[in-house]
Amino acid sequence: MSRLSNLAESLVGSEIVKLGNEINNRIRNGEKIYNYTIGDFNPAVFPIPTVLKEQIIKAYNDGYTNYPPADGILPLRAAVSQFLNTYEGISYENDEIQISSGGRPLIYSLFKAVVNPGDKVIYAVPSWNNNHYTSLNGGIPCEIQTTAENNFMPTVAEIAPHLPGAALLCLCTPQNPTGTTLSKETLEQICDLVLAENQRRGPEEKKLYVLFDQMYFTLTYRDTKHYHPVALRPEMKAYTISVDGISKSFAATGVRVGWGFGPANVIAKMKALMSHMGAWAPMAEQVATAAFLKEEAAVNTYLTDLKGKLEQRLWRIYEGIDQLKQKGYVVEAIVPQAAIYLTLKFDLKGKSYQGKLLNTQADVTQFLLGAVGLALVPFNCFGADADSPWYRISVGTCQLEDLDVIFDSLEKALAQLS
Ligand SMILES: Cc1ncc(COP(=O)(O)O)c(C=O)c1O
């Protein structure tokens, strides 16, 4: 076979998709698997807002089927601007907002706009897909290995030494895969570091930009609060490009409406790139999302209900794992703060199940699949070491009543380990 581009030849497929294929094969072969690997929602459990659905249908009936403008229709950018102001207290003009088909094209075009091949890109590990976007753009990864003690979020001290010479710092809060967040103090200190670094750079030097991924920002629980760099330090507006959308906040992953916001000069380049990629959100979905976001009461009612259901599941799992830990099993969970994820530890390497040694962490993953029917994503799929005992569980497809059954079989399986 003939060789393709260096990029094509070096592409690494998604580890989660590989795992998902294996799980689907097992389900096809008749195994009962609780598949909590995907960062998605089961629409039967978590449907999109009714108003949004009705507005999408109406928009098609009204004939909104032509090309949208490359940066998104004006009423949607205006609605996003209002939404950001209401929920985060930040102000963005229409030319500082870019609409796209979900969050991914925004991340891709932002990388293209600020990262040259060979530029340093800083991101925490584990984290979602920063490794792929960095390699797609020829960036040099600068990975911060985070720890359980810090809820797997990067600390100021871990970030600081890497900023000189870096093109992009990727922050994600609430974070996929951990379901944890950056505190106000930490984010403030990171902003101060970025501002100081940019002040130090000469007028001809490329600035350090921040990718601020807040795809899950509305989904925070109990006393956890979300903070935006620009709300904390207004000077950060010149360097922060945020990624957001309806995918997670409104359980609308398949509707494909996202928005990026940042300084007008960067957004203009992202728009130019987007016009070649054609990765716009469909016209009718843009019209519908604009109408939905303006219905503040419907937005609030929906968010309260969605958050209530997600929080219930996350805490049920957290408490279930904690009870097993109290009973002496080597399992652990990080207190859930946000998003649809929870971080679990199954430190079972070296134990035996039905006479078979769990030699590697991959064996532990298979044990959870085979003995409990529990499918989770090991942190190594997000860039952590292959022998990391930590996992992401996603509750977007979780039926509450299944959890009793799962915890029952998990305890039985754990009890059989020797
Ligand atoms: C942290 C984070 N950012 C961005 C995205 C991309 O979202 P979208 O599905 O809208 O492209 C995801 C999707 O899983 C995500 O987890």
Side-chain angles (χ1 to χ4, degrees), residues 81-337:
S81 174
Q82 183 58 52
F83 181 73
L84 296 173
N85 199 267
T86 307
Y87 284 85
E88 302 197 84
I90 48 180
S91 297
Y92 279 85
E93 302 294 326
N94 292 332
D95 64 348
E96 296 171 320
I97 297 172
Q98 170 68 42
I99 306 299
S100 90
S101 60
R104 287 168 171 85
L106 297 163
I107 303 175
Y108 183 77
S109 59
L110 167 62
F111 267 78
K112 276 270 169 278
V114 304
V115 177
N116 282 325
D119 276 354
K120 177 161 66 163
V121 179
I122 308 169
Y123 55 88
V125 165
S127 68
W128 177 83
N129 276 7
N130 287 313
N131 51 349
H132 293 294
Y133 288 107
T134 302
S135 78
L136 278 175
N137 284 280
I140 306 294
C142 175
E143 298 189 335
I144 296 172
Q145 297 289 337
T146 57
T147 60
E149 294 71 53
N150 299 317
N151 291 334
F152 290 105
M153 294 304 289
T155 66
V156 179
E158 287 165 344
I159 291 173
H162 303 296
L163 294 185
L168 184 64
L169 167 64
C170 305
L171 299 176
C172 179
T173 182
Q175 189 169 252
N176 179 4
T178 55
T180 53
T181 57
L182 286 175
S183 70
K184 180 168 183 265
E185 294 67 33
T186 302
L187 188 54
E188 278 172 340
Q189 288 171 33
I190 294 172
C191 290
D192 289 340
L193 286 177
V194 172
L195 291 171
E197 171 63 22
N198 278 333
Q199 208 157 28
R200 206 193 47 74
R201 293 190 185 185
E204 296 306 313
E205 250 182 292
K206 201 148 65 72
K207 297 292 185 190
L208 166 64
Y209 287 94
V210 172
L211 160 58
F212 189 71
D213 186 332
Q214 59 160 23
M215 212 66 197
Y216 300 85
F217 93 92
T218 56
L219 307 177
T220 53
Y221 312 111
R222 304 200 179 179
D223 53 2
T224 300
K225 281 203 173 72
H226 174 76
Y227 298 94
H228 191 277
V230 174
L232 299 176
R233 295 286 186 268
E235 314 89 286
M236 281 296 288
K237 194 166 183 185
Y239 313 117
T240 309
I241 298 88
S242 307
V243 172
D244 193 1
I246 64 171
S247 297
K248 314 290 172 156
S249 292
F250 300 107
T253 50
V255 180
R256 308 312 298 151
V257 180
W259 48 86
F261 48 101
N265 62 325
V266 181
I267 291 292
K269 296 296 180 191
M270 289 167 65
K271 170 184 169 183
L273 287 158
M274 206 75 77
S275 72
H276 296 302
M277 290 156 65
W280 313 299
M283 182 61 144
E285 277 75 354
Q286 292 199 33
V287 171
T289 304
F292 169 65
L293 287 181
K294 279 195 278 192
E295 301 248 357
E296 226 177 281
V299 169
N300 284 335
T301 307
Y302 183 86
L303 283 177
T304 305
D305 180 66
L306 176 67
K307 283 171 61 169
K309 288 178 178 151
L310 293 169
E311 180 181 331
Q312 210 179 2
R313 286 158 174 77
L314 292 167
W315 274 88
R316 168 71 184 89
I317 297 169
Y318 173 73
E319 284 164 1
I321 292 289
D322 201 48
Q323 275 161 18
L324 291 173
K325 185 182 168 189
Q326 304 303 330
K327 289 182 185 175
Y329 296 111
V330 277
V331 294
E332 208 175 311
I334 304 257
V335 176
Q337 294 182 334

